[in-house]
Amino acid sequence: MNDPIRRLSVVALFLFLSLMGMATYIQVLHAGSLNDDPRNVRTLYREYGTYRGPILVDGAAVAESVAVDDPYGYQRQYTNGPVFAPVTGFYSIVYGRTGLEQAQNSLLNGTSDALFWSRLGDLFAGQEQQGASVETTIDGNLQQVAYDALGSYTGAVVALDPSTGAIKAMVSTPSFDPNDLASHDTASVNQSYAALIGDENQPMLNRAIAQLYPPGSTFKLVVTAAALEAGYTPDTKIPAPDVLTLPGSTATIQNYEGESCATDGQGSTTLADALRVSCNTAYAALGMSLQWEGIDRVARSLGFEDSFQIPMTVATSQLPVDPDAPQTAQSSIGQFDVRSTPLQMAMVAAAIANDGVVMKPYLVSTVRDNSLQVIDTTEPSVYSTAFSAQTAQYLTDMMVGVVDDGTGTRAQISGVQVAGKTGTAESGTDAPPYTWFVAFAPADDPKIAIAVLVEDGGTGATGGKVAAPIAQKVLQAALDGGQ
């Protein structure tokens, strides 16, 4: 072989090996990231050309794919979109996925390992690959009632089955229509998305699980549990000064509208009465007396400082780090650095309703393949035992007092004992406070636990005035549905 031919052969061999190396890198090592790249049009057409499974509420589809005559093959459609948007999320060819559309994507699009045998069966049968159906735990009627009850308010409602942790309602307002983002008209989708992103009310924010708020006086339930676990009883006398000066400072804490909580003429009240009228000074002093460690332990056992997958990721509710005495006082009334999602506060109510046992919250009950065979079922599971059954019973009785003749009377239901707690938390701005109500009913045989959060209830808003009536409507609907 002469020199020119030998050099040409070496160059050709080098080019061939380079080509083989790059092909191996792209098709094997880099295949996953290429398939996942939302800019990959071939992946997009392949995914949209496959039947995507429905998301179900009460056995009916609230998100489903229907065949259309365009390059994508299927169009995602949402029934009653704004009501169920915090559950379904959206599925867009431009902006990807959120909510269950994202969290259950591999099941819905049929690529999950759990659907291997289903895919194999489809292959041999010559049938098109299909995604699984995802049945949620949501009660459609309760979801609608909660959505209607919030009305024009900006806020959230979460309702749980306290014995299982199943989420029966998860509403966030204002909401949006996922159909606007699922369109195959990209210009229209871009316009809708820009409008949603530019909306100062953040309609795509799931306030039930993705936003943290100071829980205000609803956090007094956690402090009360810590006190009861430390040996207090509902009748234990605790200091309830009209004004509490925080140690080492000139800062003070007062009660709502400067009211006095003392009931014995000596500046004290009982623990039960302090909760019934939501006495700030009594709880600030109680928190400092208990010291933060005891409160922190109970709060963590209720789920604070932990992350949950329902299967969407829930924002981690937060506690202060090593607070001093004044910070402990502020934290004990749900202010300072205490932050919570509405789901977390619903879990607090559910734990009291369930004898102190915290159940892991979940949103998906069953997954079925295209032949309706069950391939996954969520079994209720215990997260922790936060406190004793005796503490839970004491708390229940005290919360009944809140609704019977305390700050939560607007949550009363005729013929049913409701256990509840109001909350009104400073927002840290000049805006009106955040208002809360957490509750469960019936108090002697709890069927439903709930948390209501309203960001802006207007001038003079309190949890008792704004959030409690919303909770009453949802509790009533839940109990009516169970009859």
Side-chain angles (χ1 to χ4, degrees):
M1 182 182 296
N2 59 35
D3 287 345
I5 293 177
R6 186 169 56 252
R7 286 196 289 272
L8 182 61
S9 298
V10 170
V11 171
L13 179 61
F14 174 76
L15 292 174
F16 178 75
L17 290 176
S18 298
L19 179 63
M20 290 294 293
M22 287 304 297
T24 301
Y25 172 74
I26 293 173
Q27 295 187 18
V28 178
L29 301 179
H30 204 44
S33 60
L34 287 174
N35 285 330
D36 293 338
D37 192 328
R39 296 167 297 179
N40 187 333
V41 177
R42 294 184 63 184
T43 298
L44 201 62
Y45 278 111
R46 185 176 67 243
E47 181 170 339
Y48 276 80
T50 301
Y51 176 79
R52 185 175 178 84
I55 298 173
L56 306 172
V57 170
D58 298 332
V62 294
E64 62 181 333
S65 292
V66 296
V68 292
D69 185 19
D70 71 12
Y72 295 104
Y74 289 98
Q75 169 71 59
R76 200 64 166 166
Q77 292 184 349
Y78 297 88
T79 302
N80 214 356
V83 174
F84 295 102
V87 176
T88 62
F90 65 77
Y91 182 66
S92 167
I93 59 174
V94 184
Y95 295 103
R97 307 168 289 267
T98 61
L100 282 181
E101 294 279 28
Q102 168 61 27
Q104 299 282 270
N105 183 53
S106 64
L107 289 164
L108 290 167
N109 69 17
T111 61
S112 169
D113 291 343
L115 293 168
F116 172 77
W117 294 110
S118 176
R119 287 197 300 272
L120 194 62
D122 290 341
L123 179 65
F124 282 111
Q127 295 178 343
E128 177 186 311
Q129 176 184 316
Q130 295 190 4
S133 61
V134 174
E135 175 78 42
T136 72
T137 57
I138 294 293
D139 178 322
N141 178 60
L142 203 61
Q143 182 85 358
Q144 183 70 61
V145 169
Y147 183 81
D148 293 341
L150 273 172
S152 60
Y153 286 131
T154 296
V157 173
V158 178
L160 301 173
D161 180 333
S163 66
T164 65
I167 298 173
K168 309 304 288 184
M170 185 171 73
V171 171
S172 177
T173 57
S175 189
F176 68 100
D177 190 345
N179 289 299
D180 294 339
L181 303 179
S183 168
H184 293 175
D185 180 344
T186 55
S188 172
V189 170
N190 284 330
Q191 186 175 12
S192 297
Y193 189 80
L196 290 167
I197 288 294
D199 190 331
E200 63 179 11
N201 293 314
Q202 298 180 277
M204 287 197 294
L205 173 63
N206 189 341
R207 291 174 166 81
I209 61 172
Q211 184 73 350
L212 298 172
Y213 301 90
S217 293
T218 57
F219 193 74
K220 290 171 182 170
L221 294 172
V222 179
V223 179
T224 305
L228 294 169
E229 290 287 284
Y232 287 61
T233 72
D235 295 327
T236 300
K237 289 283 189 69
I238 58 176
D242 292 346
V243 178
L244 178 68
T245 301
L246 299 179
S249 74
T250 58
T252 61
I253 289 177
Q254 298 187 49
N255 297 310
Y256 180 69
E257 295 187 334
E259 295 174 350
S260 176
C261 302
T263 55
D264 63 355
Q266 300 177 354
S268 297
T269 188
T270 64
L271 184 60
D273 274 335
L275 188 77
R276 182 177 61 81
V277 300
S278 200
C279 185
N280 284 339
T281 57
Y283 270 90
L286 176 63
M288 289 190 290
S289 176
L290 293 170
Q291 299 187 355
W292 182 250
E293 288 74 12
I295 301 169
D296 185 271
R297 184 193 64 77
V298 173
R300 288 175 185 270
S301 66
L302 287 163
F304 280 81
E305 295 290 349
D306 201 356
S307 178
F308 294 90
Q309 306 288 327
I310 63 168
M312 295 104 86
T313 300
V314 180
T316 301
S317 296
Q318 299 170 355
L319 299 168
V321 178
D322 194 23
D324 59 20
Q327 292 166 343
T328 296
Q330 292 281 355
S331 301
S332 299
I333 57 174
Q335 297 282 175
F336 187 53
D337 284 345
V338 182
R339 296 291 183 272
S340 175
T341 60
L343 173 62
Q344 174 63 76
M345 293 315 300
M347 290 171 64
V348 172
I352 298 168
N354 198 38
D355 295 331
V357 178
V358 186
M359 304 300 292
K360 289 182 180 177
Y362 63 97
L363 187 58
V364 173
S365 61
T366 307
V367 179
R368 298 176 187 271
D369 65 17
N370 58 11
S371 61
L372 300 182
Q373 294 296 311
V374 175
I375 59 174
D376 190 27
T377 300
T378 306
E379 297 294 337
S381 59
V382 174
Y383 173 71
S384 73
T385 299
F387 37 76
S388 69
Q390 178 63 73
T391 291
Q393 185 58 58
Y394 280 148
L395 278 164
T396 299
D397 295 340
M398 296 164 72
M399 292 171 70
V400 168
V402 171
V403 176
D404 281 354
D405 61 352
T407 55
T409 55
R410 298 188 190 196
Q412 292 177 0
I413 297 175
S414 178
V416 177
Q417 271 197 329
V418 176
K421 180 68 191 83
T422 55
T424 306
E426 294 177 3
S427 62
T429 67
D430 293 333
Y434 301 127
T435 57
W436 288 85
F437 195 75
V438 302
F440 58 89
D444 60 348
D445 185 21
K447 304 296 185 188
I448 193 80
I450 185 174
V452 176
L453 174 279
V454 174
E455 287 191 7
D456 180 357
T459 303
T462 65
K465 293 177 182 175
V466 176
I470 296 171
Q472 191 270 349
K473 291 178 182 177
V474 180
L475 291 171
Q476 179 76 70
L479 298 179
D480 288 347
Q483 292 175 354

